[in-house]
């Protein structure tokens, strides 16, 4: 009996020693893994340490392949987008001339006929002129040689002088003076020399679409109702043919010309209304930027700078803003009152103020304001 108790006690002591030894080894292994993890993390941070790194930099790095794909797709499909704009605009103009203009001449009063002819053709001329100038005018590029440029930085991508308000376009692979953005619908950058053409095209295209949507609302309702009647009569005709009852007369069908007319009116109204909403929102956004004397890129830069100075109790002032009214005069190139007619309401190829390399006070600015901080 005693021998069995001694044997059982020895087995239990041996088991406890094994458990203690296993626990020590397990704890030792965990400590080694933790040490290796901290050491690797410290090495990685020491190799990749940058005082300017933050969450935005990490996200930009992760999305760099997406940016590369978008840049190359936009570069190659720019011609397709331009052809699409020309094709859609031409289709609307053709529908107006072929389908709607004869109806207007037959049913409207002489005063309304004169109004539609005058406003419609003026709006069309402004759209065509500004779109052509926007896609053919170079936005402006800084010179490669650093001759008379003072106080400029160097672009990290093209290793060339980079004046104020100049930014590098990854799609064009060049620096652009007063760059706003790269527009795929123009297949061109929007910069110092064609910014006015781009905005004017957006404005007059929006006005034209709103004009077509409002004036064609009644025609759209009638055409939509006619198409619904076409579908109903077509369904009845098929039912009669399926029943094979010769004593019933099939309902009359619309001609091809009538079908084409009604579908063209519906297509015109839907397309113009959609473009008016989308392009109208873009036009309002750019109008707000012009009022503040900013570009799309400078909007983000100024916002970050404003937040940074606000934390320090300081106020940021845009050095390129001269006030809402003067900003519009500088943007449109209005120096004297008659320029509102000759340069704004009529097609005008006049150049903007300045060369885009330096930003002196324009002559049309009524009051000079000293900037608090330059970007």
């Amino acid at each position: 009996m005693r021998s069995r108790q001694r044997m059982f006690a020895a087995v239990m002591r041996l088991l406890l020693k094994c458990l203690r030894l296993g626990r020590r080894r397990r704890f030792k292994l965990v400590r080694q893994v933790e040490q290796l993890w901290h050491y690797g993390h410290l090495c990685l941070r020491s190799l990749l340490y940058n005082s300017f790194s933050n969450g935005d930099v990490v996200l930009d790095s992760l999305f760099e392949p997406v940016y590369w794909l978008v840049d190359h797709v936009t570069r190659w499909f720019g011609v397709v987008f331009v052809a699409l704009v020309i094709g859609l605009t031409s289709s609307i103009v053709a529908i107006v001339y072929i389908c709607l203009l004869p109806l207007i001449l037959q049913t409207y009063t002489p005063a309304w006929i004169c109004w539609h002819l005058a406003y419609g053709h003026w709006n069309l001329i402004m759209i065509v002129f500004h779109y052509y100038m926007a896609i053919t005018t170079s936005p402006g590029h800084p010179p490669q040689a650093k001759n008379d440029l003072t106080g400029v930085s160097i672009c990290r991508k093209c290793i060339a002088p980079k004046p104020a308000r100049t930014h590098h376009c990854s799609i064009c692979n060049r620096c652009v003076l007063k760059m706003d953005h790269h527009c795929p619908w123009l297949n061109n950058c929007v910069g110092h020399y064609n910014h006015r053409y781009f905005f004017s095209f957006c404005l007059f295209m929006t006005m034209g679409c709103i004009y077509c949507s409002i004036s064609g609302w009644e025609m759209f309702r009638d055409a939509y109702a006619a198409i619904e009647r076409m579908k109903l009569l077509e369904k009845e005709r098929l039912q009669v043919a399926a029943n094979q009852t010769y004593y019933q007369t099939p309902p009359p069908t619309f001609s091809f010309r009538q079908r084409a007319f009604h579908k063209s009116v519906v297509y015109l109204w839907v397309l113009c209304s959609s473009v008016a909403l989308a392009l109208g929102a873009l036009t309002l956004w750019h109008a707000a930027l012009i009022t503040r004397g900013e570009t799309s890129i400078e909007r983000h830069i100024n916002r970050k700078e404003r937040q940074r100075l606000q934390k320090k109790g300081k106020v940021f002032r845009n050095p390129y803003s001269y006030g809402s009214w003067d900003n519009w005069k500088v943007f449109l190139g209005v120096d004297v009152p008659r320029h509102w007619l000759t340069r704004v309401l009529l097609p005008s190829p006049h150049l903007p103020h300045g060369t885009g390399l330096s930003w002196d006070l324009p002559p049309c600015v009524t009051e000079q304001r000293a900037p608090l901080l330059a970007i």
Side-chain angles (χ1 to χ4, degrees):
M1 187 66 181
R2 292 183 178 178
S3 60
R4 290 181 180 179
Q5 291 179 352
R6 292 175 182 175
M7 184 179 298
F8 179 75
V11 171
M12 292 301 296
R13 285 195 296 270
L14 180 62
L15 181 61
L16 290 175
K17 290 182 180 180
C18 292
L19 290 175
R20 292 195 189 101
L21 182 61
R23 184 180 301 175
R24 291 176 182 175
R25 290 181 178 179
R26 186 168 63 252
F27 288 160
K28 186 177 180 180
L29 180 62
V30 171
R31 285 197 300 269
Q32 290 178 351
V33 171
E34 290 179 353
Q35 291 176 357
L36 290 175
W37 167 258
H38 290 302
Y39 177 74
H41 184 65
L42 180 62
C43 290
L44 184 64
R45 292 192 61 182
S46 63
L47 292 174
L48 303 179
Y49 175 75
N50 190 340
S51 60
F52 297 100
S53 297
N54 51 27
D56 295 336
V57 176
V58 175
L59 288 178
D60 289 341
S61 302
L62 293 177
F63 279 94
E64 191 64 29
V66 180
Y67 297 150
W68 180 89
L69 181 63
V70 171
D71 292 345
H72 285 72
V73 169
T74 305
R75 183 182 305 171
W76 288 106
F77 278 84
V79 179
V80 178
F81 292 153
V82 171
L84 185 62
V85 171
I86 296 175
L88 293 177
T89 307
S90 301
S91 66
I92 296 299
V93 173
I95 291 173
V96 171
Y97 273 101
I98 297 174
C99 300
L100 302 185
L101 187 58
L103 186 62
I104 291 174
L105 296 176
Q106 294 174 4
T107 58
Y108 283 28
T109 61
W112 276 109
I113 291 175
C114 294
W115 155 253
H116 284 290
L117 290 177
Y119 179 81
H121 286 89
W122 169 78
N123 204 340
L124 178 61
I125 291 173
M126 297 297 285
I127 290 173
V128 173
F129 171 79
H130 287 103
Y131 187 69
Y132 174 78
M133 294 299 293
I135 62 178
T136 57
T137 303
S138 173
H141 307 283
Q144 297 296 318
K146 192 173 182 180
N147 298 326
D148 298 331
L149 300 179
T150 58
V152 299
S153 59
I154 301 298
C155 178
R156 294 178 298 175
K157 296 184 179 180
C158 55
I159 315 301
K162 185 180 177 182
R165 311 188 80 178
T166 300
H167 300 278
H168 187 88
C169 177
S170 57
I171 300 175
C172 299
N173 199 23
R174 295 187 67 179
C175 283
V176 178
L177 299 176
K178 193 192 169 185
M179 179 180 175
D180 188 271
H181 69 286
H182 184 94
C183 181
W185 300 102
L186 302 179
N187 194 28
N188 195 7
C189 267
V190 177
H192 178 63
Y193 289 103
N194 64 347
H195 193 182
R196 179 178 65 88
Y197 297 131
F198 164 77
F199 177 79
S200 299
F201 164 72
C202 293
L203 176 63
F204 288 112
M205 179 63 82
T206 303
M207 292 171 57
C209 291
I210 294 175
Y211 161 74
C212 291
S213 299
I214 294 176
S215 9
W217 169 245
E218 295 296 334
M219 297 181 184
F220 165 75
R221 292 178 59 184
D222 296 339
Y224 186 80
I227 291 176
E228 292 298 323
R229 288 197 302 271
M230 290 180 196
K231 293 180 180 179
L232 182 60
L233 293 175
E234 184 69 20
K235 183 179 180 180
E236 293 179 358
R237 189 181 67 83
L238 293 176
Q239 290 177 353
V240 170
N243 293 333
Q244 296 180 356
T245 54
Y246 297 98
Y247 58 88
Q248 293 181 353
T249 303
T253 58
F254 288 86
S255 63
F256 173 78
R257 184 174 182 178
Q258 291 174 330
R259 293 173 181 270
F261 174 82
H262 295 309
K263 291 181 179 180
S264 298
V265 172
V266 172
Y267 163 78
L268 178 143
W269 192 88
V270 171
L271 179 61
C272 289
S273 301
S274 304
V275 173
L277 290 176
L279 194 58
L282 179 65
T283 305
L284 291 176
W285 165 251
H286 279 278
L289 293 177
I290 295 170
T291 304
R292 293 192 293 262
E294 298 174 334
T295 62
S296 298
I297 298 177
E298 292 173 352
R299 168 67 176 168
H300 301 287
I301 298 175
N302 293 351
R303 182 181 60 183
K304 292 182 179 180
E305 191 66 20
R306 189 176 293 108
Q307 293 174 354
R308 185 183 69 85
L309 292 178
Q310 188 176 5
K311 294 179 180 179
K312 298 181 178 181
K314 299 181 180 179
V315 178
F316 171 79
R317 181 183 297 169
N318 183 9
Y320 309 112
S321 178
Y322 311 104
S324 302
W325 182 248
D326 287 335
N327 287 337
W328 278 102
K329 291 171 64 177
V330 171
F331 178 78
L332 297 174
V334 176
D335 298 328
V336 293
R338 70 171 184 272
H339 286 167
W340 290 103
L341 173 64
T342 59
R343 293 187 174 185
V344 179
L345 298 181
L346 294 177
S348 175
H350 66 277
L351 297 176
H353 289 291
T355 61
L357 303 176
S358 60
W359 300 96
D360 301 327
L361 188 69
C364 60
V365 176
T366 57
E367 181 183 357
Q368 183 176 2
R369 301 194 319 170
L372 296 181
L373 182 65
I375 58 174

